[in-house]
Amino acid sequence: PPVNMAFATRASLSLSRAASTSAAAPKARRAAAVACAAPESTPEAEPVAPPPAPKKDSFADFFEFKSWGPEVVNGRLAMVAFFTGAAAEMASGVPTLTQFTESHWAFVLATLLIVPASFMPRFQGETTAKPESKENGMWQASTELLNGRAAMVGLSAMFLQEAITGNPVF
């Protein structure tokens, strides 16, 4: 039967030490018969093909009904509208709904700035502009979605209360 190579090497070393340390024994060399077997070969694994390159987002992918685009863009617009509307209402006393109807050009300007900014990573050559693709540090996509949803609900509630009472919220 084949012998393990490490065992055979140890046995050979101990035999040579024993022969060299015995003073009474003549300087005869002993030989040990050692048989080694080649390690079992494992079958070669077939090379795995690299995954296909990710498909780049198209305009339809951004704005499909179940896509991430409408919610992210509307959430970002609602966050800007809620903050600026509330701040201007506290500073001037003019209700946010009145501000929106009298200065609708500000909303159009914000939309023209925020929508392209939301897709800037895709315009710069990345395969997607989806916020989850950049989850790191303090800015989390899930937090942005939650804040956007809260701003949409808050803005709607503020508009509803001002429409019913006619008074500013703040």
Side-chain angles (χ1 to χ4, degrees), residues 3-144:
V3 178
N4 186 342
M5 186 64 157
F7 173 75
T9 305
R10 275 190 254 129
S12 166
L13 285 174
S14 62
L15 284 177
S16 65
R17 281 190 199 129
S20 64
T21 57
S22 68
K27 292 200 173 200
R29 290 190 150 181
R30 291 184 188 179
V34 178
C36 297
E40 292 183 27
S41 62
T42 58
E44 296 273 337
E46 293 183 23
V48 178
K55 185 187 103 172
K56 290 190 172 190
D57 288 340
S58 67
F59 184 78
D61 294 334
F62 292 144
F63 291 109
E64 284 181 343
F65 183 70
K66 291 188 173 190
S67 179
W68 57 271
E71 184 174 16
V72 168
V73 171
N74 288 328
R76 289 174 181 171
L77 288 170
M79 286 187 277
V80 169
F82 185 86
F83 177 76
T84 55
E89 184 176 301
M90 286 188 273
S92 67
V94 177
T96 304
L97 189 57
T98 305
Q99 294 173 32
F100 183 75
T101 55
E102 291 178 358
S103 303
H104 58 276
W105 55 267
F107 179 74
V108 172
L109 178 65
T111 303
L112 291 175
L113 292 174
I114 290 174
V115 171
S118 296
F119 305 114
M120 195 52 65
R122 176 61 180 87
F123 296 147
Q124 292 176 339
E126 293 187 25
T127 57
T128 185
K130 191 173 185 177
E132 286 86 15
S133 65
K134 298 286 185 182
E135 283 281 322
N136 57 1
M138 187 171 99
W139 307 106
Q140 301 289 326
S142 57
T143 305
E144 181 186 19

